[in-house]
Amino acid sequence: MKKIILITGVTGSLGKATATELAKNGCHVILLSRNSDKLPKVKTEIAGETGNSDIETVVADLSEPGSIRNAVTEIKSRHTSLNGLINVAAIFKSQRVENSEGYEYMFATNHLGPYILTNELLDLLKAGKPSRILTVSAPSTTKIQFDDLPGLKKFSGGFLGAFGSSKMMNLMFTYALARRLKDTGVTSNVFHPGLVKSDLLKESPKLMYGFFQIVSAKPDRAAKMLCSLATNDKYDNLNGTFMKYNGKKIKSSDYSYDEVLQEKLWLLSEQLALA
Ligand SMILES: NC(=O)c1ccc[n+]([C@@H]2O[C@H](COP(=O)([O-])OP(=O)(O)OC[C@H]3O[C@@H](n4cnc5c(N)ncnc54)[C@H](OP(=O)(O)O)[C@@H]3O)[C@@H](O)[C@H]2O)c1
C-alpha cells in the first residue's frame, strides 16, 4: 500500500524538494499550500519529474484557523487515514503583521497553524498507524514571551524575536506531542534542514539575505533526509527527537526541553486555537 503523506510549504524550496522526493519514493502525496494559482503548477511539475501521478492538492492558509479547518474537512472527505504529516511551511516577516484575529503573523503561521493542522489530523494519523509527524524547525534558543503569546503588544523581529520564538515553539510542540503520542503508533519528531537556499529570509536586511544565499546548500540533501524520516522503517521507533539533515540526532537548548514550559505552550495554544 502506498503511504499517504500530507506536506505543507510545497511552493517553497524545502517543501517542494521533499514532496518530489516523497513522490519519487512511491508515496501518495497531498500538497498543501495557501496559493491556489501555484499549486496546480507544482503538482504538474512533480508528477512530470517523478512519473508519480498519485498527487493531490489542498488549499489552506496556515495563518488562518478557519482556513485550516476547511482544508481538514476536505481532506477527511477524501481520506480515512494518513501515514504522515510534514509541517514545512513557515514565514519570516521584518515588520509586525497580523492575521484576521490580530495575532502576530509568524506566531500564527509558524506555530499556531501547524498546531491546529496536526491536532485536527491526529485521528486520521492514528487510523493510518504506523504514521509519522515531522515538523521543520531550527536550533533556536529564543525564549517565548508567554505573557503575550499571540504577539498582541510588543514586536521584535528576527532570530531573537518573533521568528526565533516561533521556531522554539516548533521544538517544544514536537516534544510535548511526542509525550502524548507514546505507544499510539504515531510518532512526532522535529527536523533541522541546515542552511537551505530559499526566499525565506527575503525580508531580512539585504546583506544578511545575500550572505545566506552564498553559504546555503540546495534543498535536495535535507529533502532526502526528511523523506527518509517520513518513510524509512529504520525510524519506526524514533519519537521526540531533533534530527539534522545529515541523519544525526541533535540536542536543542535546555530551555526547549523544559516540560513545564512545553505544557504551558500547549495549553495556551489550545486556548487560542479554540478562541
Ligand atoms: N532555509 C533555511 O536555511 C532554513 C534553515 C532552518 C530551518 N528552515 C525551515 O525550513 C522550512 C522551509 O523553509 P524554506 O527555506 O523552504 O522556505 P520557503 O522557500 O520560503 O518556503 C516557505 C513555504 O511556506 C509557505 N507559507 C508561508 N506562509 C504560509 C501560510 N500562511 N500558509 C501556508 N503556507 C505558507 C510558503 O508558501 P507561499 O509560496 O504561498 O509563500 C512556502 O511554500 C521552514 O520551516 C523554515 O523555518 C529553513
Side-chain angles (χ1 to χ4, degrees):
M1 279 272 283
K2 282 194 166 185
K3 287 189 197 309
I4 308 173
I5 299 184
L6 188 145
I7 177 166
T8 72
V10 295
T11 53
S13 175
L14 181 62
K16 186 177 178 197
T18 307
T20 304
E21 204 56 41
L22 292 168
K24 263 188 207 155
N25 281 273
C27 296
H28 179 119
V29 191
I30 308 174
L31 307 171
L32 184 147
S33 163
R34 62 178 165 174
N35 191 321
S36 54
D37 292 332
K38 282 193 204 163
L39 253 184
K41 189 168 171 269
V42 171
K43 175 182 165 173
T44 307
E45 283 172 1
I46 296 177
E49 188 180 332
T50 62
N52 183 343
S53 55
D54 277 336
I55 301 172
E56 32 175 316
T57 60
V58 64
V59 177
D61 182 339
L62 291 169
S63 70
E64 294 296 336
S67 172
I68 299 169
R69 293 200 171 93
N70 288 341
V72 167
T73 303
E74 194 178 328
I75 294 160
K76 288 186 174 175
S77 73
R78 300 189 214 157
H79 296 278
T80 52
S81 65
L82 289 178
N83 307 108
L85 164 64
I86 312 184
N87 291 309
V88 181
I91 196 137
F92 176 91
K93 290 276 178 205
S94 57
Q95 307 287 328
R96 188 177 186 284
V97 179
E98 292 177 358
N99 77 351
S100 66
E101 289 170 348
Y103 301 164
E104 192 282 320
Y105 202 77
M106 288 182 275
F107 166 79
T109 307
N110 302 355
H111 168 66
L112 195 62
Y115 174 91
I116 295 171
L117 181 69
T118 305
N119 277 293
E120 296 271 337
L121 290 175
L122 267 186
D123 48 351
L124 290 197
L125 289 157
K126 285 180 182 163
K129 69 181 181 180
S131 54
R132 299 173 190 176
I133 299 161
L134 290 152
T135 301
V136 179
S137 186
S140 171
T141 54
T142 308
K143 294 187 174 162
I144 296 170
Q145 298 301 312
F146 281 105
D147 59 342
D148 182 24
L149 194 63
L152 300 175
K153 300 176 206 153
K154 266 193 312 199
F155 177 78
S156 90
F159 295 106
L160 298 176
F163 181 74
S165 171
S166 72
K167 293 286 113 184
M168 172 60 78
M169 292 178 200
N170 294 156
L171 296 165
M172 288 187 161
F173 163 66
T174 297
Y175 302 145
L177 181 62
R179 265 198 305 285
R180 285 166 171 76
L181 292 175
K182 195 168 176 282
D183 301 326
T184 62
V186 187
T187 60
S188 159
N189 293 291
V190 59
F191 179 69
H192 174 37
L195 293 179
V196 172
K197 272 190 209 312
S198 79
D199 283 338
L200 181 68
L201 298 180
K202 60 179 183 285
E203 290 194 19
S204 64
K206 273 202 174 100
L207 260 177
M208 189 198 277
Y209 178 65
F211 172 75
F212 275 112
Q213 291 300 322
I214 292 166
V215 296
S216 297
K218 286 186 180 163
D220 313 46
R221 175 182 61 176
K224 279 194 171 55
M225 189 61 221
L226 192 48
C227 172
S228 179
L229 286 167
T231 57
N232 194 313
D233 292 347
K234 74 178 177 190
Y235 298 115
D236 267 350
N237 297 316
L238 192 77
N239 192 30
T241 305
F242 191 18
M243 296 295 289
K244 203 172 170 179
Y245 59 87
N246 58 8
K248 298 225 162 87
K249 293 181 183 178
I250 39 176
K251 200 176 166 299
S252 50
S253 68
D254 290 345
Y255 179 85
S256 70
Y257 291 112
D258 186 324
E259 292 188 10
V260 174
L261 294 182
Q262 290 167 14
E263 290 305 317
K264 191 171 176 180
L265 175 65
W266 191 281
L267 188 69
L268 288 169
S269 306
E270 195 170 43
Q271 288 165 355
L272 291 170
L274 293 172

